[in-house]
Amino acid sequence: KDTYDNIVLYINATCNLNCTYCYIDKIHFKKIDDILAKSFETDYYFDFTKEIFRDHPQKLKRIEFWGGEPSLGLHRMYKILPKFFNHFKNLNEFMM
């Protein structure tokens, strides 16, 4: 029995901080973020989620937004959320 009720979307790969302990090369993050940006210009995430929950769309209750700093990608999230709300009627939780 499938018990999952959430999906994780990586909405960006950028970070606005410059922490001294961070070892991540931000140049590579920018390249990854460019790829993510293109994926949000299509229905890729919505279509993929519909396929995962094809037989039971009512099971999706939560979307988790991850990324370098997810709040820097909110503009991408706003573009796709109306489709999710219209299709997944029990969707009512968000996490960053």
Side-chain angles (χ1 to χ4, degrees):
K1 177 180 174 184
D2 295 326
T3 60
Y4 51 87
D5 65 355
N6 71 302
I7 59 166
V8 175
L9 300 180
Y10 288 87
I11 59 174
N12 74 337
T14 57
C15 180
N16 59 329
L17 302 177
N18 194 20
C19 301
T20 57
Y21 55 82
C22 183
Y23 60 89
I24 297 173
D25 182 349
K26 293 193 179 177
I27 292 172
H28 289 98
F29 261 180
K30 174 66 174 122
K31 292 176 184 176
I32 294 168
D33 191 62
D34 290 344
I35 294 167
L36 287 173
K38 289 178 185 174
S39 67
F40 276 92
E41 293 172 2
T42 68
D43 286 336
Y44 172 78
Y45 292 106
F46 177 66
D47 292 341
F48 185 74
T49 305
K50 274 184 16 183
E51 181 62 27
I52 292 171
F53 290 91
R54 177 184 54 231
D55 297 330
H56 302 286
Q58 73 280 2
K59 289 175 92 177
L60 181 62
K61 296 178 182 174
R62 180 178 58 243
I63 297 178
E64 298 179 19
F65 295 104
W66 291 21
E69 170 47 57
S71 64
L72 296 176
L74 292 178
H75 61 288
R76 295 174 185 166
M77 177 185 76
Y78 291 133
K79 290 179 182 180
I80 65 169
L81 281 182
K83 290 181 181 185
F84 278 85
F85 286 131
N86 287 329
H87 187 77
F88 300 102
K89 301 302 183 188
N90 289 334
L91 178 61
N92 62 11
E93 293 180 35
F94 300 95
M95 185 181 102
M96 291 183 140

